Amino acid sequence: MHWMPGASLFSPADVARKDFYKTPAELRLMVAPGLATLASLDAVRAAIRPGMTTLELNDVADAAIRARGGVSNFQMVPGYRHTVCASVNDEVVHGIPGERVIQPGDIVSIDSGADVGGWSGDSAITLVVPDATRPELVAARQKLSAVTEASMWHGIARLAVARHLNEVGAAIEEYVESQGEFGILTDYIGHGIGRSMHEEPPVFNYRVRAKGPEVKPGLVVAIEPMVTAGGIDTVVADDEWTVVTADGGMAAHWEHSVAVHRDGIWVLTAADGGASELLPLGVTPVPIR
Ligand code: MG
Ligand code: MG
């Protein structure tokens, strides 16, 4: 899940407040919720097929979190009662699981989070359901998802060398711009994460002038670009949750929770800390000790 940027723009007072940096002991406690979150998304990835409802995907994710001793932290968000958000096609984020049936060719973003021992993880993936009858449509949607995912990894790689947090958004935007005609949502942004899923600081997925906080050991952030194949304007559906593109264009969303620690960075919601994607970008993630 996300913050709306208008709700929490950085003020000098926020920058002065350092209490969102975690201690080494706290960082170690964030490993388990990261892996439980990962398990829930792996379970959805393995289960998804045409004919399933988004509620069934939700229940698959919930079982995986519970099997790891966790509970859904999405259910701790006031007014939200599900374990994941399932956003299909022109739905960008915050889709509520329900009776919607997955169709061949759908582009489905699943956003999930686990709380283990009072600490949170938050991660999202986008999946394109195969459709042999529409190869061009599937290829275009896969490209949208791939650009979004790669932009996230470029942002994470920049975090490893950044002095200030706004460098992450710049890296994401540079990459997306290099890939063609895509839009990065500005209505929703990433966030710090710790005891709560949503904490300071805000994490922009695009260039902002304010440098944001210093990137140093103890910073833990959810980096989550939301990218569309068209315009970036969105509207909230009648259910008061689901965010859809105003122009009906397709959307993708990828997210990882990433820790900066004294020895380097570690992607908490990836089994290998992000190594497989970060090594080609010149970054070697280091486990939290
Ligand atoms: Mg999320
Ligand atoms: Mg998030």
Side-chain angles (χ1 to χ4, degrees):
M1 280 195 181
H2 328 85
W3 269 353
M4 299 179 70
S8 179
L9 282 171
F10 248 95
S11 68
D14 288 327
V15 177
R17 225 185 62 205
K18 308 291 191 196
D19 60 355
F20 52 75
Y21 295 102
K22 277 76 180 173
T23 66
E26 290 172 336
L27 294 179
R28 287 192 288 275
L29 293 172
M30 294 193 70
V31 171
L35 293 175
T37 303
L38 168 67
S40 70
L41 292 173
D42 282 349
V44 170
R45 194 195 298 264
I48 192 169
R49 63 181 189 280
M52 285 183 85
T53 66
T54 53
L55 187 61
E56 289 174 308
L57 294 175
N58 178 86
D59 294 348
V60 164
D62 196 72
I65 289 172
R66 291 182 184 281
R68 286 206 164 237
V71 294
S72 163
N73 56 15
F74 282 28
Q75 294 184 20
M76 300 173 186
V77 174
Y80 202 77
R81 287 190 287 276
H82 293 89
T83 297
V84 303
C85 297
S87 306
V88 182
N89 295 343
D90 62 335
E91 299 172 353
V92 190
V93 288
H94 300 175
I96 302 174
E99 297 308 310
R100 181 166 184 160
V101 176
I102 300 296
Q103 306 292 332
D106 278 352
I107 179 169
V108 184
S109 298
I110 302 290
D111 191 351
S112 182
D115 179 301
V116 179
W119 293 86
S120 271
D122 189 8
S123 183
I125 59 174
T126 293
L127 303 166
V128 180
V129 181
D131 182 353
T133 68
R134 295 186 294 174
E136 287 178 11
L137 175 144
V138 168
R141 293 177 179 187
Q142 285 174 336
K143 166 84 174 172
L144 170 63
S145 177
V147 166
T148 309
E149 182 184 10
S151 77
M152 172 191 66
W153 287 112
H154 279 74
I156 294 170
R158 187 69 63 89
L159 183 72
V161 296
R163 292 196 57 201
H164 291 95
L165 190 55
N166 72 334
E167 294 173 53
V168 169
I172 292 170
E173 185 171 327
E174 279 165 26
Y175 180 79
V176 172
E177 278 181 346
S178 76
Q179 296 301 302
E181 294 297 311
F182 298 97
I184 304 172
L185 248 73
T186 55
D187 291 344
Y188 300 88
I189 59 174
H191 48 90
I193 182 167
R195 286 193 177 278
S196 304
M197 182 166 53
H198 294 149
E199 295 185 354
E200 297 286 340
V203 181
F204 298 94
N205 304 306
Y206 45 89
R207 286 188 192 91
V208 290
R209 193 169 299 164
K211 288 183 174 178
E214 194 181 343
V215 175
K216 64 178 187 179
L219 182 68
V220 187
V221 287
I223 297 174
E224 50 177 320
M226 291 145 263
V227 177
T228 71
I232 63 169
D233 291 339
T234 61
V235 292
V236 177
D238 289 341
D239 63 18
E240 297 181 355
W241 279 99
T242 310
V243 176
V244 300
T245 59
D247 63 8
M250 297 294 110
H253 175 214
W254 282 84
E255 175 179 27
H256 272 307
S257 299
V258 189
V260 180
H261 60 100
R262 60 191 170 195
D263 302 316
I265 68 165
W266 186 253
V267 180
L268 295 160
T269 43
D272 63 355
S276 59
E277 305 293 337
L278 292 172
L279 288 172
L281 300 178
V283 172
T284 305
V286 183
I288 297 167
R289 289 182 291 119

